[in-house]
Amino acid sequence: MRNEAVLAGIVTYNPDIERLKLNLDAIYNQVSEVTIIDNGSCNTDEIVALTQKYNNIYIVCNKRNKGIAAALNQIGDIAVERKKDYFLTLDQDSIADDSLIAELYSVFSDIVVGVSCPYINRKNDFIASSGRKKVKVAITSGAMIRTSVWREIGGFWEYLFIDEVDHEFCYQVRRKGYSIFQINTVAINHIIGKPFSKRVLGHQFNPTNHSPFRRYYIARNDVIMQHLFPDEKEPFSNRYQMLLRIVISILLCEEDKFSKIGAIFRGVKDAVAWNIQNKEISERRETS
């Protein structure tokens, strides 16, 4: 049965069409409507053709890549327009469990719940269990958001563009007094980058092999988050140490080393400039 209170949204950027079809097949019968926000893909025509095979899937085509935060806010705006109390956000290659919507929706009888999320199955270690667990952060893939909370916060911070958008939003959710719950009966498979494992000098490395484009935003936004939220220890206890480990991992394990490390240094430089300019700012909404 389709849940009429929930809109599902998927952000696409050059998606694998067969994988996207599996994603749509898994979710479209669980909600009243699915909206795809396409961020300037090269294969937009294929995405449009795919959506025409369903009766409750719609697409908005951005002419350029506006970033994940802007696309997520477009989903939120559509949820408001359609009078949906909740919206689900999915990555283009995420495939939902058959009961994802029902399980995530079940916790919202508690008015202090702002976001619910599934278990993130990165290592194929998911074992369904009963109950729910309060968590500090949730990634956007598979997260269900109370629309009124999204509006109260002011949406996702579009300056971040891509990386840390989900974590920053969760920090704001908790600052407003709302809770985030992980539902342990359902899971979403999620892979970060293009990971592989390599042993160097007796040490195990698990590089993600992100592009220089992503390395820039990861570095820039991590330094900004450390500035704005120094007391937040999840998902990273120390972002500066994490960046140092990334540089070492790139040097020892990845290709295109100088482009990636150059992108990291540019990101750090731009973040430091932003932090200096906004050194008295503790609430990012004032700087948007």
Side-chain angles (χ1 to χ4, degrees):
M1 179 180 295
R2 291 174 176 170
N3 190 319
E4 295 294 328
V6 181
L7 169 83
I10 303 172
V11 180
T12 57
Y13 182 70
N14 300 330
D16 177 276
I17 296 299
E18 288 303 315
R19 183 73 176 181
L20 180 60
K21 183 179 185 303
L22 292 175
N23 188 348
L24 294 175
D25 287 342
I27 199 65
Y28 88 102
N29 274 328
Q30 298 187 48
V31 293
S32 59
E33 180 181 332
V34 179
T35 294
I36 294 175
I37 307 294
D38 183 67
N39 252 340
S41 293
C42 296
N43 57 345
T44 302
D45 290 345
E46 293 180 78
I47 303 170
V48 171
L50 176 62
T51 63
Q52 292 173 347
K53 299 177 181 178
Y54 303 84
N55 61 12
N56 66 328
I57 297 178
Y58 307 93
I59 183 169
V60 175
C61 297
N62 295 329
K63 293 183 179 180
R64 59 180 175 83
N65 186 356
K66 294 184 175 182
I68 187 70
L72 292 171
N73 284 336
Q74 287 178 276
I75 293 170
D77 287 337
I78 292 169
V80 172
E81 179 185 329
R82 301 284 200 272
K83 295 181 170 55
K84 302 299 181 183
D85 294 327
Y86 311 93
F87 61 93
L88 179 84
T89 56
L90 285 169
D91 287 353
Q92 62 190 23
D93 55 357
S94 300
I95 299 177
D97 286 354
D98 292 342
S99 59
L100 180 71
I101 295 298
E103 294 296 317
L104 296 184
Y105 180 76
S106 66
V107 300
F108 283 102
S109 57
D110 186 337
I111 61 172
V112 301
V113 177
V115 178
S116 65
C117 63
Y119 180 87
I120 304 304
N121 190 24
R122 292 193 175 101
K123 301 178 180 179
N124 293 320
D125 59 353
F126 173 64
I127 300 175
S129 61
S130 61
R132 60 188 187 181
K133 177 176 74 172
K134 185 180 288 189
V135 294
K136 292 186 176 181
V137 295
I139 68 171
T140 50
S141 183
M144 186 178 290
I145 299 165
R146 191 187 295 269
T147 306
S148 61
V149 172
W150 171 83
R151 295 186 72 181
E152 182 179 344
I153 289 171
F156 293 88
W157 189 16
E158 296 185 13
Y159 176 73
L160 295 179
F161 195 78
I162 182 166
D163 290 284
E164 292 302 309
V165 168
D166 44 9
H167 298 149
E168 193 275 343
F169 182 79
C170 289
Y171 300 157
Q172 298 292 346
V173 167
R174 291 191 288 105
R175 279 189 171 190
K176 292 292 186 180
Y178 298 99
S179 299
I180 303 167
F181 277 95
Q182 177 181 296
I183 312 305
N184 293 319
T185 52
V186 287
I188 283 282
N189 292 326
H190 181 73
I191 298 174
I192 299 176
K194 298 177 181 178
F196 62 95
S197 297
K198 184 175 181 179
R199 291 190 68 84
V200 179
L201 301 176
H203 294 276
Q204 182 72 36
F205 291 89
N206 298 288
T208 56
N209 206 33
H210 280 109
S211 67
F213 172 83
R214 287 293 301 279
R215 286 298 180 201
Y216 169 83
Y217 283 105
I218 290 170
R220 190 197 70 168
N221 295 350
D222 273 333
V223 174
I224 290 174
M225 288 298 98
Q226 189 72 40
H227 169 70
L228 287 180
F229 303 97
D231 296 329
E232 290 288 353
K233 301 303 180 185
E234 290 193 24
F236 312 111
S237 59
N238 187 304
R239 293 172 184 271
Y240 298 131
Q241 289 180 3
M242 183 194 70
L243 284 173
L244 179 59
R245 289 198 299 268
I246 287 173
V247 170
I248 293 171
S249 178
I250 290 171
L251 283 172
L252 295 177
C253 303
E254 297 189 24
E255 298 179 353
D256 200 13
K257 304 177 192 299
F258 295 111
S259 293
K260 293 176 181 179
I261 292 173
I264 289 173
F265 281 112
R266 288 195 302 275
V268 171
K269 174 179 173 291
D270 289 351
V272 170
W274 190 94
N275 290 346
I276 291 171
Q277 182 180 355
N278 299 283
K279 61 183 178 181
E280 302 299 331
I281 301 297
S282 61
E283 288 287 346
R284 56 87 168 175
R285 301 299 168 185
E286 299 174 37
T287 68
S288 297

